[in-house]
Amino acid sequence: MEMDWIWGLIGGLLIGTGGAVYLLANGRIMGASGIIGGLVDGTGLAQKWERLAFLAGVVVLPILIYPYYGHVDTHVSDNWAVLIAAGLLVGVGTRVANGCTSGHGVCGIPRLSLRGMAATMVYILAGGVGVVLFRHILGVI
Amino acid sequence: MRNLFAFIAGGLFGAGLFVSGMTDTSKVQGWLDVFGAWDPTLAFVMGGAMIPMFIAWRLRERRSAPVLGGTFPPTPPQKLDRGLIGGSVMFGMGWGLAGLCPGPSVASLSYGGTGHWVFFAAMIAGMAITPNLRRLLDKAPATA
């Protein structure tokens, strides 16, 4: 627990380096919801192999690192209604807002993008309100 | 070549999400929960990620094209519209509810178990219905 922030920082630097590579080499914004969403709704099929290659990297590297950790508990909810509601909100919300934590936050804020900063403030506030509402008031999580 | 670099970028992203603990929903919810046992990790992840990205945007200004050709993404209009704000409210609520956002949802598919697949499937469904939802909203008389 005491070391968590160091690993957070190291992980953050890796995430940002990934975003830097994707921008400078491929000329693309590393936004997870945009990369996935473009494949789902067909708007990004022109770059489907590039998108799939990116997503393959996201899936494969944790598989390679996992054995060094032994077991990782993600503490995910076992309530399917909660997971389905949350997934729908995240899926629709990120597409309507045109970005998520990676696109608006990691890429948008260092670009000094007003939209990125506004979106990040709003989803963090909504997330905070959500946790208070669902955990402390409704008690569903 | 483009696909190789996309894979490398995705790999760095996935590795970073894994080692930072961002696929652990309790760390994300712990950061959002200012009234509970507050967990500061997410702030270090976001801050750490912005350092290389800030440098990358400065380097981008010195280049006319990406290393592998093509064009850089255009600067989007700096307009704060209802979609940006409303969509971000929805996204934030879902993020708080499950402790997952799109990147970590993909990164954790191999080891997170059934719950992660249920969330992922619902997220994909949400993304799939969004164009239809947009059309419905556009047809509805504007009340705001």
Side-chain angles (χ1 to χ4, degrees), chain A residues 2 9 35 45 53 78 83 102-103 114-115 126 128-129 134:
Chain A
E2 303 78 38
L9 189 62
I35 293 169
L45 286 181
D78 52 13
L83 292 170
S102 46
L114 183 65
R115 282 174 60 87
V129 170
F134 299 124

Side-chain angles (χ1 to χ4, degrees), chain B residues 46-109:
Chain B
M46 285 292 266
M50 285 179 198
I51 298 167
M53 216 46 232
F54 185 81
I55 299 167
W57 282 115
R58 301 289 87 75
L59 291 172
R60 179 254 170 272
E61 282 167 14
R62 296 192 194 175
R63 298 189 59 92
S64 54
V67 176
L68 300 175
T71 51
F72 279 116
T75 308
Q78 288 301 297
K79 200 168 132 268
L80 305 182
D81 49 46
R82 275 194 303 184
L84 184 83
I85 304 302
S88 295
V89 169
M90 287 181 74
F91 164 45
M93 284 284 171
W95 190 38
L97 185 54
L100 284 168
C101 53
S105 155
V106 175
S108 59
L109 283 177

Side-chain angles (χ1 to χ4, degrees), chain A residues 4 26 74-75 114-115, chain B residues 2 25 27 67 78-79 116:
Chain A
D4 282 6
N26 294 53
T74 60
H75 302 99
L114 183 65
R115 282 174 60 87
Chain B
R2 297 189 69 84
T25 60
K27 297 198 82 60
V67 176
Q78 288 301 297
K79 200 168 132 268
H116 285 252

Side-chain angles (χ1 to χ4, degrees), chain A residues 7-8 10-16 18 54 56-66 69, chain B residues 7-23 45 103 107 111:
Chain A
W7 282 108
I10 294 169
L13 289 168
L14 287 169
I15 293 167
F54 179 90
V58 180
V59 172
V60 169
L61 262 287
I63 294 176
L64 298 179
I65 306 169
Y66 191 89
Y69 281 71
Chain B
F7 181 82
I8 292 169
L12 287 163
F13 186 47
L17 289 170
F18 184 93
V19 303
S20 64
M22 287 300 100
T23 61
V45 181
Y111 59 88

Side-chain angles (χ1 to χ4, degrees), chain A residues 1 4-5 7-30 32-34 36-37 40-41 49-51 53-63 65-66 69 72-77 80 82-102 104-116 118-120 122-124 126-136 140-141, chain B residues 2-20 23-27 29-33 35-36 39 41 44-54 56-60 63 65-69 71-81 83-98 100-103 106-112 114-116 118-120 122-131 133-134:
Chain A
M1 192 72 188
D4 282 6
W5 69 270
W7 282 108
L9 189 62
I10 294 169
L13 289 168
L14 287 169
I15 293 167
T17 307
V21 168
Y22 209 42
L23 176 69
L24 295 171
N26 294 53
R28 307 245 181 253
I29 303 227
M30 190 188 74
S33 61
I36 305 165
V40 173
D41 65 19
W49 293 114
E50 191 175 34
R51 288 165 190 261
F54 179 90
L55 294 173
V58 180
V59 172
V60 169
L61 262 287
I63 294 176
I65 306 169
Y66 191 89
Y69 281 71
V72 178
D73 192 348
T74 60
H75 302 99
V76 74
S77 170
W80 281 34
V82 162
L83 292 170
I84 291 168
L88 287 170
L89 282 167
V90 170
V92 174
T94 54
R95 291 307 276 159
V96 170
N98 259 314
C100 58
T101 336
S102 46
H104 280 315
V106 172
C107 295
I109 292 178
R111 193 186 197 180
L112 308 177
S113 153
L114 183 65
R115 282 174 60 87
T120 303
V122 171
Y123 65 67
I124 287 175
V129 170
V131 169
V132 169
L133 179 71
F134 299 124
R135 176 178 283 169
H136 298 297
V140 293
I141 53 171
Chain B
R2 297 189 69 84
N3 296 340
L4 175 66
F5 275 83
F7 181 82
I8 292 169
L12 287 163
F13 186 47
L17 289 170
F18 184 93
V19 303
S20 64
T23 61
D24 181 348
T25 60
S26 69
K27 297 198 82 60
Q29 288 174 330
W31 186 76
L32 290 169
D33 187 3
F35 296 112
D39 186 331
T41 311
F44 285 95
V45 181
M46 285 292 266
M50 285 179 198
I51 298 167
M53 216 46 232
F54 185 81
W57 282 115
R58 301 289 87 75
L59 291 172
R60 179 254 170 272
R63 298 189 59 92
V67 176
L68 300 175
T71 51
F72 279 116
T75 308
Q78 288 301 297
K79 200 168 132 268
L80 305 182
D81 49 46
L84 184 83
I85 304 302
S88 295
V89 169
M90 287 181 74
F91 164 45
M93 284 284 171
W95 190 38
L97 185 54
L100 284 168
C101 53
V106 175
S108 59
L109 283 177
S110 65
Y111 59 88
T114 319
H116 285 252
V118 172
F119 176 90
F120 181 74
M123 180 179 80
I124 296 295
M127 289 178 169
I129 61 169
T130 302
L133 278 180
R134 274 219 183 95

